[in-house]
Amino acid sequence: MDVLKELARVLEERKSQDPQKSYVASLYAKGLDAILKKIGEEATETVMAAKDGNSDKIVYEVADLWFHSLVLLAHQGLSPDQVLAELQRRFGLSGLEEKAGRSERSG
């Protein structure tokens, strides 16, 4: 879990860096649509790796997907701790209970 906090800290620092010198700063400079496009690409690559059944490639692609998801969180002023808190809230609920709760909250 410490790696998530450290990565979140670094991603925050990148907001003020030169987009010519930092990949993450360049994503921030390009804006939300570029970040979302990158997440979509990484999600597709994750699916393809899973279909191929190559464990090493699955781990590699999920790491890319998580990384770019963390970039999105930082861009939106959110933190990994907020996501972890939501996962903790769901812990112990069945998936069906959690899904039913979503319907009640959005209704």
Side-chain angles (χ1 to χ4, degrees), residues 28-44:
Y28 291 142
K30 291 175 188 172
L32 181 61
D33 286 346
I35 295 168
L36 296 176
K37 181 180 177 188
K38 194 63 185 168
I39 290 173
E41 290 170 7
E42 298 303 343
T44 299

Side-chain angles (χ1 to χ4, degrees), residues 1-12 62-63 66-67 70-71 73 79-81 84:
M1 300 278 219
D2 290 339
V3 71
L4 289 178
K5 289 182 182 188
E6 182 64 17
L7 187 51
R9 185 190 62 74
V10 170
L11 293 175
E12 280 298 319
V62 169
W66 285 12
F67 176 83
L70 290 168
V71 171
L73 288 173
S79 75
D81 286 340
L84 293 172

Side-chain angles (χ1 to χ4, degrees), residues 19-35:
Q20 299 292 326
K21 296 180 181 178
S22 165
Y23 169 71
V24 172
S26 74
L27 280 177
Y28 291 142
K30 291 175 188 172
L32 181 61
D33 286 346
I35 295 168

Side-chain angles (χ1 to χ4, degrees), residues 58-83:
I58 293 168
V59 169
Y60 181 88
E61 295 301 343
V62 169
D64 279 352
L65 179 57
W66 285 12
F67 176 83
H68 288 89
S69 295
L70 290 168
V71 171
L72 171 65
L73 288 173
H75 184 267
Q76 298 292 84
L78 302 168
S79 75
D81 286 340
Q82 290 171 274
V83 176

